[in-house]
Amino acid sequence: MSATLIDGKAFAAQVRAKVAEHVTRLKNDHGLVPGLAVVLVGEDPASQVYVRSKGKQTVEVGMASFEHKLSPETSEADLLALIAKLNADPKVHGILVQLPLPSHLNSDLVINSIDPAKDVDGFHISNVGLLGTGQKSMVPCTPLGCLMMLRDHLGSLSGLNAVVVGRSNIVGKPMAQLLLGDSCTVTIAHSRTRDLAETCRRADILVAAVGRPEMIPGDWVKPGATVIDVGINRIERDGKTVLVGDVHFDSAAQVAGAITPVPGGVGPMTIACLLANTVTSACRANGLPEPEGLTA
Ligand code: GUN
């Protein structure tokens, strides 16, 4: 392996330490305790793990955690009523509704019922529009984490060719907006892109967010490129379940200048950025200066 490893686990610990420091300052100087409400509808095992982890880390950085676990049969009206209550609660600065929601619930309607100022996921249509027009917004956590790691590793991103593989609302599209905001030349590629290999080979920054295990081999990577692997895929290998990214790590690490591993790359940054967004939201709600280095 010749690439530098971008250690997301260590970087996320640094972000959490900065968040914790800011939370202490808010408490001591302003008597303000940032609060995050997480809403889980149903019993999806992966979602339960994420929600537990979010609650634990929220408390660890000194913030208040409000968990709302609702039955899989919860009606849309009941869910919207809970969100309206959280929107009006001054102790709640961030609201996250864990996705995916059960199929009888309209995710767009539910997400767009969250107060945009408390939308720490950055999924509300207002935040999507603000980000797209370069205005101050709540930025989706996973792309924000990727941006922080890229800036930390590369310094200025200005003028670099960035290729984002994947066009989801949660990662691909906001990632492209953030890279454009940092003056990259951005291509959004996806499963229908003609000659995806050639497109990827032009990338100084390659962000893989397609959800297909090890789809991007080393010979699609430009020598010296910075590779950010957002994929978290469970596969069976040699009789064991293992986690792999969307990039074929071993071959890509021979060619890339730097690469994020899976696990231990982008994954830990997502919750760290959720905590960062909650502190940012608490500061904005109270007219206080935002924490430095924790926003886009
Ligand atoms: N499910 C998987 N990732 C996410 C995320 O970033 N936010 C929410 N709300 N749900 C998710």
Side-chain angles (χ1 to χ4, degrees):
M1 175 173 148
S2 62
T4 301
L5 209 59
I6 300 179
D7 186 346
K9 200 172 163 199
F11 198 78
Q14 284 178 32
V15 171
R16 286 197 301 274
K18 267 194 211 171
V19 169
E21 204 178 292
H22 210 82
V23 168
T24 302
R25 213 173 310 143
L26 289 175
K27 274 188 200 168
N28 292 345
D29 298 353
H30 304 281
L32 173 62
V33 180
L36 173 64
V38 175
V39 180
L40 173 64
V41 186
E43 283 150 9
D44 177 65
S47 292
Q48 284 177 330
V49 171
Y50 282 127
V51 166
R52 207 172 309 132
S53 195
K54 283 167 187 169
K56 183 167 167 274
Q57 293 190 34
T58 301
V59 171
E60 278 169 3
V61 296
M63 304 199 295
S65 170
F66 308 98
E67 275 183 30
H68 296 268
K69 293 186 178 162
L70 308 181
S71 100
E73 288 88 32
T74 301
S75 71
E76 203 158 81
D78 283 353
L79 180 55
L80 293 176
L82 171 61
I83 293 172
K85 212 173 90 192
L86 297 172
N87 282 343
D89 186 342
K91 292 193 296 301
V92 172
H93 304 95
I95 301 170
L96 179 144
V97 177
Q98 185 68 27
L99 301 175
L101 285 170
S103 58
H104 68 282
L105 298 170
N106 179 338
S107 301
D108 288 338
L109 184 77
V110 169
I111 296 300
N112 289 326
S113 74
I114 298 171
D115 176 350
K118 296 189 179 188
D119 167 38
V120 280
D121 256 331
F123 295 165
H124 189 288
I125 191 71
S126 294
N127 282 314
V128 175
L130 290 167
L131 179 62
T133 49
Q135 301 179 70
K136 197 189 261 194
S137 65
M138 277 290 151
V139 175
C141 304
T142 301
L144 178 58
C146 295
L147 183 75
M148 284 182 185
M149 289 194 287
L150 284 167
R151 284 177 178 167
D152 182 68
H153 183 69
L154 292 169
S156 168
L157 311 185
S158 180
L160 296 176
N161 278 330
V163 175
V164 179
V165 188
R167 51 177 157 176
S168 71
N169 292 336
I170 294 183
V171 184
K173 287 180 203 163
M175 186 75 247
Q177 296 288 6
L178 289 171
L179 291 165
L180 202 52
D182 270 27
S183 302
C184 291
T185 302
V186 181
T187 303
I188 305 181
H190 46 79
S191 57
R192 304 280 177 92
T193 298
R194 286 191 196 159
D195 209 349
L196 187 54
E198 207 42 58
T199 301
C200 290
R201 284 187 200 112
R202 289 201 302 270
D204 302 308
I205 293 169
L206 181 60
V207 180
V210 264
R212 293 204 198 166
E214 300 178 325
M215 191 189 106
I216 298 176
D219 69 351
W220 292 17
V221 175
K222 179 178 175 175
T226 304
V227 178
I228 304 290
D229 191 350
V230 182
I232 301 177
N233 308 289
R234 277 182 180 74
I235 63 162
E236 295 296 318
R237 178 166 288 159
D238 304 328
K240 280 189 246 165
T241 305
V242 292
L243 281 188
V244 298
D246 293 346
V247 176
H248 185 269
F249 183 85
D250 289 347
S251 59
Q254 301 296 322
V255 189
I259 188 166
T260 58
V262 177
V266 175
M269 285 299 286
T270 298
I271 299 184
C273 288
L274 173 67
L275 305 176
N277 276 350
T278 305
V279 176
T280 299
S281 172
C283 291
R284 287 180 186 169
N286 289 275
L288 297 168
E290 292 173 21
E292 264 173 45
L294 296 178
T295 51

